[in-house]
Amino acid sequence: MTEPTRGALSAVLPFLAGGTDLIARAAGEWIDLRDRTELAGITWQPDGSARIGALTTIAELARDQRLRAGYPALAATAAELATPQIRAVATLGGNLLQRNRCAYFRAGFACHQNGGACCPARAGIARYGTVVGSGPCVAPHPSSLAMALLAYDATVEVEGRGHLPVASLYGEDPTRDHLLAPGELLLGAELPPPVAGERAAYVRATGRVQAEWPLAEAVARLVVAGGSVVLAAVAAGGVARTPVRLPEVETALLAGVPIAEAAARAATRCAPLPETRYKVALLTGTVEHVLTKAIAD
């Protein structure tokens, strides 16, 4: 259905954009956003910064030449997501606000996100769960683009609330994967002006080569001058209830610590479950890989 997105109706019905996951999970009435054409596309500001509409497809992010030049970590992340078919219809907003992939949640088990009071993954199969944090829910947040936007200190625009840090979309509430209230509409994301000389890379660790959700992923932005790292932004995904920045790794790089040792410091924030102990080494190895790749760029 196509309805206006403001007023009482938007407070009770969810929004539908690309719908790649939503349609598969649920039925009912939705507010179709296809008529909100102002939400799509990339707009460039006089200072070189970019605004990306929430309905911009991931494929557009991956192929836009100016975005690839100014924000290589974001473009590289977009290019590695899912499959070409999904990237052609999935949107920035959908990726940022998607639901987690926990098999218990999606199969309708009583859990925090289905109105229950427990996390069945803790006592069951948790090998895909979190390794960072110790909250009640152990389902990692699946948004790779949120991780990349964190590395750029990006902001998001929410209708009626203005601009907010991208991190404010997420939290440790075990009942929710994002913190927007019903009826709140994500309009887009804004990135600061590009940094000259940026080297960037994205790496994901998966159980198979293609079309797989990452067990761990990382993105890195570096500026190197005189043989030293003078700017470092490193973020990780697939390991916590929210996408996370890794300031301990960034600080080590800026202090001249070798890459392997800097990457190993990501382990200091890990609190693994019995079945996710393997993710400690996977996370640090993925971070080391992405830093090595970025330095070699």
Side-chain angles (χ1 to χ4, degrees):
M1 61 179 294
T2 302
E3 297 286 354
T5 59
R6 296 180 175 85
L9 186 60
S10 64
V12 295
L13 294 182
F15 297 114
L16 173 63
T20 53
D21 181 43
L22 184 62
I23 292 175
R25 288 191 301 105
E29 294 184 300
W30 312 97
I31 297 174
D32 194 331
L33 295 176
R34 286 176 295 182
D35 290 342
R36 294 290 297 267
T37 56
E38 77 278 11
L39 300 183
I42 303 169
T43 305
W44 296 94
Q45 308 301 328
D47 63 357
S49 62
R51 182 188 186 280
I52 305 171
L55 292 188
T56 307
T57 66
I58 295 172
E60 185 175 352
L61 300 182
R63 67 172 178 258
D64 187 278
Q65 293 297 320
R66 189 170 177 182
L67 198 73
R68 291 171 65 179
Y71 307 100
L74 177 61
T77 302
E80 295 293 325
L81 295 184
T83 64
Q85 295 91 338
I86 291 176
R87 291 194 295 270
V89 294
T91 62
L92 170 69
N95 187 271
L96 295 181
L97 303 180
Q98 63 186 297
R99 300 307 305 272
N100 72 73
R101 316 307 300 182
C102 177
Y104 291 99
F105 162 60
R106 288 175 175 266
F109 281 72
C111 73
H112 293 293
Q113 298 215 354
N114 284 328
C118 68
C119 176
R122 283 188 173 275
I125 299 172
R127 60 178 173 266
Y128 303 119
T130 60
V131 69
V132 173
S134 57
C137 176
V138 301
H141 198 283
S143 178
S144 299
L145 294 185
M147 175 193 65
L149 290 175
L150 276 179
Y152 281 104
D153 295 314
T155 61
V156 291
E157 184 181 1
V158 177
E159 192 168 51
R161 292 177 60 189
H163 296 86
L164 309 167
V166 67
S168 67
L169 288 177
Y170 311 107
E172 295 297 329
D173 185 342
T175 69
R176 308 170 68 184
D177 289 319
H178 65 77
L179 301 183
L180 291 190
E184 287 193 315
L185 178 63
L186 180 69
L187 302 178
E190 296 191 3
L191 296 103
V195 175
E198 176 179 317
R199 306 179 183 190
Y202 167 77
V203 170
R204 59 171 38 201
T206 60
R208 59 184 180 183
V209 175
Q210 295 179 330
E212 182 64 280
W213 299 95
L215 300 170
E217 59 183 342
V219 65
R221 302 175 53 228
L222 304 174
V223 174
V224 179
S228 299
V229 176
V230 296
L231 181 149
V234 186
V239 295
R241 280 291 295 144
T242 69
V244 291
R245 280 284 290 264
L246 301 176
E248 61 278 4
V249 176
E250 299 169 355
T251 300
L253 291 169
L254 294 172
V257 173
I259 285 177
E261 183 181 340
R265 295 192 181 182
T268 61
R269 64 170 53 222
C270 291
L273 303 165
E275 287 198 352
T276 62
R277 291 193 183 104
Y278 76 96
K279 279 196 174 187
V280 178
L282 188 64
L283 172 60
T284 58
T286 301
V287 172
E288 181 178 354
H289 187 180
V290 81
L291 292 175
T292 302
K293 188 175 178 181
I295 284 285
D297 183 23

